[in-house]
Amino acid sequence: MKVNYIGKISEENLPAIFVPYFLESVHAGFPSPASDYIESPIDLNKHLIKNGAATFLVRAQGQSMVGSGITDQAVLIVDRSIKPSHNSIIVAAIDGEFVCKRLKLKPRMCLMPDNPEYPPIFINHGQELEIVGTVTAAINKF
Amino acid sequence: MAIALVDCESFYASCERVFRPDLKNIPIVVLSNNDGCVIARSTEAKKMGIAMGVPWFKVKDSFLKQKGKVFSSNFTFYGDMSARVMNILEGFVPKVEIYSIDEAFLDLDTLRQNYNLYDFSCHMRILVKQWTGIPVRIGIAPTKTLSKIAINEIKRINVPTYVLQLSNKDQIRYALANTPVHKVWGVGRKLNEHLNKAKINTALDLAEVSPQNIRRKFSVVLERTVRELRGERCLSIEDDVSSKKQIVVSRSFGERVSNLETLKPIVSNFAVRASEKLRKEKQKCSKVSVFVRTSPFNKNKPQHSDLKTISLLTPTNDTRDILTAAKKALVPIFRSGYDYAKAGILLSKFSNEDSKQFSLFKDPNEPKENTEFMKYIDYMNAFETQIYFASQNTKKWSPMKQNMTSPKYTTNWYELPKVN
């Protein structure tokens, strides 16, 4: 697997005090040549969450979406403001339960697991389906 | 001129439903601290005749028998959901006054030229519902008091869009004629009795009295209400919340407390919490009051309640100073032989954190007054209390009886909602 280094990650979720990385001491001598290039550390929140007020985190259970890279206990980022389309991974409420599946609008609307061992969920007449939001990312911890 | 009042529908009950799709159409009630009274009801629970504020034990059996669902209050969660709703509203309208956890006034004046306010509000309502799961009602009217009337009308006639605009005279008259005067914003129970005696029974009756007469017979405040009902704007949207004037931390106990040694650490907890709030406001206080009281519902037991205020020579927001003062206030008002049900601390007489005023004489209490040091403690305690003061009760808060609380869905990694 090829890995691209994209930079250093911020300290968990602590928003408060960040010590800039290249802060040099003030005593004497030649100032650090890096001090002009200080940037704020990479912020996972900024990267993963576009609309904070409409974004919720949920925890995935089971293996039905492993094909999409969502393993058991993964944290899913659900943005309720993004309108899902054909093939979006969504969180929906059906029969009083939340499920995470891939939304298929054709040939017939269904909620499709990404694991051949699980059957698709078709919406029957009289059954209510409420789409809660679109899954924009999954965080799997190893 | 137009103001909109956005009002979340049965807010706490609606919050409980957001992550519980199985509770759709099921009656929900939410209880006060210690599970004492009903403080929120879903529409279904209202239809069952559950009154606001009714003691839980009175309705418990019949409510549960009818398959109702009950929750202890989960203010961490409600607070987060409220912040999301307000955040969305602030994205729509430049001037928003957050009036309470579930209500906000919006200044629509700047939008009038370019938007149809009714359509705009419908759109806003749909978006808030989709983004957060919280249903809201929106009342649009020329004044704040009339926007409250509009919200009442939405409830009364079940407006299907949950949005109502009172713009012309006839609409306003019709709404006022259908609103009993006690439902007018600012008219309390006592005032209602007086008004009824003067043959003022509906909001329309009130609006038709001349403001000058109202001022003479009642008060300036009620005169302002009358003017607002007539469409004259007296109350503006206050979007810059001026700093608080006092901070209160108080709780009813889960179990009655009758000895001082049990009460001291509880009051210490209040003092610590209140000091944290004070520092968050960037204020210092120079008055610390403590109060205790027995339960007024326990009629066959001896009753006692008292309050004592300690004045500080030097304003402070150092927890250690406030703890000392709290203890000084508590000890003389405590009396043995009483079953205390509630206690609390009140900080007042604020001054700005940055301004420093030295007293002429040396303060005999030698205040610690170390804001920097306290800030470190606040930082360390930001997510979970790590550092306690020696006099505190480390067993998390006062002994609270709450066992039906929903998870902290949005603020705790271990309590996230689950999906299959």
Side-chain angles (χ1 to χ4, degrees), chain B residues 134-153:
Chain B
I134 301 291
V136 297
R137 307 180 184 97
I138 303 179
I140 313 161
T143 66
K144 276 184 169 177
T145 310
L146 284 172
S147 71
K148 282 258 183 191
I149 301 265
I151 293 286
N152 281 336
E153 281 292 283

Short mmCIF file of all heavy atoms in Angstrom, two decimals, chain B residues 134-153:
data_model
loop_
_atom_site.label_atom_id
_atom_site.label_comp_id
_atom_site.label_asym_id
_atom_site.label_seq_id
_atom_site.Cartn_x
_atom_site.Cartn_y
_atom_site.Cartn_z
N ILE B 134 -35.21 18.88 14.87
CA ILE B 134 -36.08 19.59 15.81
C ILE B 134 -37.16 20.37 15.05
O ILE B 134 -36.85 21.21 14.22
CB ILE B 134 -35.27 20.59 16.67
CG1 ILE B 134 -34.18 19.87 17.45
CG2 ILE B 134 -36.17 21.39 17.60
CD1 ILE B 134 -34.68 18.96 18.55
N PRO B 135 -38.44 20.10 15.34
CA PRO B 135 -39.51 20.86 14.69
C PRO B 135 -39.70 22.22 15.38
O PRO B 135 -39.64 22.31 16.60
CB PRO B 135 -40.75 19.99 14.90
CG PRO B 135 -40.45 19.15 16.09
CD PRO B 135 -38.95 19.04 16.22
N VAL B 136 -39.86 23.27 14.60
CA VAL B 136 -40.09 24.60 15.19
C VAL B 136 -41.36 25.23 14.63
O VAL B 136 -41.85 24.85 13.57
CB VAL B 136 -38.91 25.57 14.92
CG1 VAL B 136 -37.63 25.07 15.57
CG2 VAL B 136 -38.68 25.78 13.43
N ARG B 137 -41.89 26.18 15.39
CA ARG B 137 -42.99 27.01 14.91
C ARG B 137 -42.41 28.40 14.70
O ARG B 137 -41.52 28.81 15.44
CB ARG B 137 -44.10 27.15 15.94
CG ARG B 137 -44.63 25.86 16.48
CD ARG B 137 -45.74 26.20 17.49
NE ARG B 137 -46.23 24.99 18.12
CZ ARG B 137 -45.82 24.56 19.30
NH1 ARG B 137 -44.91 25.25 19.98
NH2 ARG B 137 -46.30 23.47 19.81
N ILE B 138 -42.93 29.12 13.72
CA ILE B 138 -42.44 30.48 13.50
C ILE B 138 -43.62 31.45 13.41
O ILE B 138 -44.51 31.26 12.58
CB ILE B 138 -41.57 30.57 12.23
CG1 ILE B 138 -40.40 29.58 12.34
CG2 ILE B 138 -41.04 32.00 12.04
CD1 ILE B 138 -39.48 29.56 11.14
N GLY B 139 -43.63 32.43 14.28
CA GLY B 139 -44.67 33.45 14.25
C GLY B 139 -44.07 34.77 13.79
O GLY B 139 -43.08 35.22 14.36
N ILE B 140 -44.67 35.37 12.77
CA ILE B 140 -44.14 36.63 12.24
C ILE B 140 -45.14 37.74 12.53
O ILE B 140 -46.34 37.57 12.27
CB ILE B 140 -43.92 36.55 10.71
CG1 ILE B 140 -43.20 35.25 10.34
CG2 ILE B 140 -43.15 37.76 10.20
CD1 ILE B 140 -43.36 34.88 8.88
N ALA B 141 -44.67 38.86 13.05
CA ALA B 141 -45.56 39.96 13.39
C ALA B 141 -44.75 41.24 13.51
O ALA B 141 -43.53 41.19 13.56
CB ALA B 141 -46.28 39.65 14.71
N PRO B 142 -45.45 42.39 13.60
CA PRO B 142 -44.71 43.65 13.69
C PRO B 142 -43.94 43.83 15.00
O PRO B 142 -42.96 44.55 15.04
CB PRO B 142 -45.80 44.72 13.57
CG PRO B 142 -46.96 44.03 12.96
CD PRO B 142 -46.88 42.61 13.39
N THR B 143 -44.38 43.21 16.10
CA THR B 143 -43.69 43.41 17.39
C THR B 143 -43.45 42.07 18.06
O THR B 143 -44.05 41.06 17.72
CB THR B 143 -44.51 44.28 18.35
OG1 THR B 143 -45.70 43.56 18.70
CG2 THR B 143 -44.89 45.61 17.73
N LYS B 144 -42.58 42.10 19.07
CA LYS B 144 -42.27 40.88 19.82
C LYS B 144 -43.53 40.30 20.49
O LYS B 144 -43.79 39.11 20.42
CB LYS B 144 -41.26 41.20 20.93
CG LYS B 144 -39.82 41.18 20.49
CD LYS B 144 -38.96 41.41 21.74
CE LYS B 144 -37.49 41.16 21.46
NZ LYS B 144 -36.67 41.45 22.65
N THR B 145 -44.29 41.18 21.14
CA THR B 145 -45.48 40.71 21.85
C THR B 145 -46.47 40.07 20.88
O THR B 145 -47.08 39.05 21.19
CB THR B 145 -46.13 41.88 22.62
OG1 THR B 145 -45.11 42.53 23.38
CG2 THR B 145 -47.21 41.40 23.55
N LEU B 146 -46.61 40.67 19.69
CA LEU B 146 -47.52 40.09 18.70
C LEU B 146 -46.96 38.79 18.12
O LEU B 146 -47.72 37.88 17.77
CB LEU B 146 -47.79 41.10 17.58
CG LEU B 146 -48.75 42.23 17.93
CD1 LEU B 146 -48.79 43.27 16.81
CD2 LEU B 146 -50.16 41.70 18.20
N SER B 147 -45.64 38.67 18.04
CA SER B 147 -45.09 37.42 17.51
C SER B 147 -45.37 36.26 18.48
O SER B 147 -45.59 35.13 18.07
CB SER B 147 -43.60 37.54 17.21
OG SER B 147 -42.85 37.63 18.40
N LYS B 148 -45.41 36.58 19.78
CA LYS B 148 -45.81 35.58 20.77
C LYS B 148 -47.27 35.17 20.54
O LYS B 148 -47.62 34.00 20.66
CB LYS B 148 -45.67 36.16 22.19
CG LYS B 148 -44.25 36.17 22.70
CD LYS B 148 -44.05 35.02 23.66
CE LYS B 148 -42.65 35.04 24.25
NZ LYS B 148 -42.35 33.80 24.98
N ILE B 149 -48.11 36.17 20.23
CA ILE B 149 -49.52 35.89 19.95
C ILE B 149 -49.62 34.97 18.72
O ILE B 149 -50.41 34.03 18.68
CB ILE B 149 -50.30 37.20 19.68
CG1 ILE B 149 -50.20 38.14 20.89
CG2 ILE B 149 -51.73 36.93 19.25
CD1 ILE B 149 -51.32 38.09 21.88
N ALA B 150 -48.78 35.24 17.72
CA ALA B 150 -48.81 34.43 16.51
C ALA B 150 -48.48 32.97 16.83
O ALA B 150 -49.11 32.04 16.31
CB ALA B 150 -47.83 34.99 15.47
N ILE B 151 -47.49 32.76 17.72
CA ILE B 151 -47.13 31.39 18.11
C ILE B 151 -48.33 30.71 18.79
O ILE B 151 -48.66 29.56 18.50
CB ILE B 151 -45.90 31.38 19.05
CG1 ILE B 151 -44.66 31.85 18.30
CG2 ILE B 151 -45.69 30.02 19.68
CD1 ILE B 151 -44.06 30.87 17.34
N ASN B 152 -49.02 31.46 19.68
CA ASN B 152 -50.21 30.90 20.33
C ASN B 152 -51.27 30.50 19.32
O ASN B 152 -51.93 29.48 19.47
CB ASN B 152 -50.81 31.92 21.30
CG ASN B 152 -50.04 31.95 22.60
OD1 ASN B 152 -49.38 30.98 22.96
ND2 ASN B 152 -50.11 33.08 23.29
N GLU B 153 -51.42 31.34 18.29
CA GLU B 153 -52.41 31.05 17.26
C GLU B 153 -52.06 29.77 16.49
O GLU B 153 -52.93 28.99 16.14
CB GLU B 153 -52.53 32.23 16.29
CG GLU B 153 -53.34 33.38 16.83
CD GLU B 153 -54.81 33.02 16.98
OE1 GLU B 153 -55.53 32.99 15.96
OE2 GLU B 153 -55.23 32.74 18.12
#
